[in-house]
Amino acid sequence: MKRDRQLIERFWALRRSVRFSSTETVLYLALVRLCRDAGWPPALLCPNAALCREAGIDESTLVRARHALIRKGVIGYAGTTAVSYTHLTLPTILR
């Protein structure tokens, strides 16, 4: 529980200087929950359909929000068919 709380608190602190849409926020929180439930693996393998269900969004919205979170440096992502979220981080200024 400690790790997810730290990530969420840092995310909220980052929101003071970086704008996140509500969809980006929901996606980030869904990823934190899925990583926690999976025991904090180094890479979270998660199909788009499962993440869409978890976040309550459609796939095109997921893709846009995911790219925004990558651009903002909050998540890492590698994938084509197999989706792998490689890290949940926040910029080093908040560490």
Side-chain angles (χ1 to χ4, degrees):
M1 182 82 149
K2 184 177 179 182
R3 187 183 226 178
D4 54 340
R5 184 178 175 145
Q6 287 177 324
L7 285 168
I8 291 167
E9 286 177 4
R10 289 179 182 170
F11 184 81
W12 285 116
L14 182 61
R15 284 179 54 103
R16 293 183 192 123
S17 60
V18 177
R19 176 149 172 23
F20 292 98
S21 70
S22 57
T23 304
E24 293 163 9
T25 301
V26 166
L27 177 57
Y28 184 80
L29 295 175
L31 285 167
V32 169
R33 180 171 185 250
L34 289 169
C35 283
R36 183 197 65 211
D37 291 351
W40 300 106
L44 175 69
L45 299 175
C46 185
N48 282 352
L51 192 49
C52 286
R53 278 191 306 277
E54 182 70 26
I57 57 179
D58 64 37
E59 189 166 10
S60 62
T61 302
L62 166 70
V63 171
R64 283 192 305 274
R66 178 173 59 217
H67 287 302
L69 291 175
I70 292 166
R71 279 193 317 274
K72 294 172 184 179
V74 178
I75 65 169
Y77 166 80
T80 51
T81 317
V83 179
S84 176
Y85 293 88
T86 55
H87 65 278
L88 291 176
T89 61
L90 292 171
T92 54
I93 55 169
L94 292 176
R95 290 187 184 170

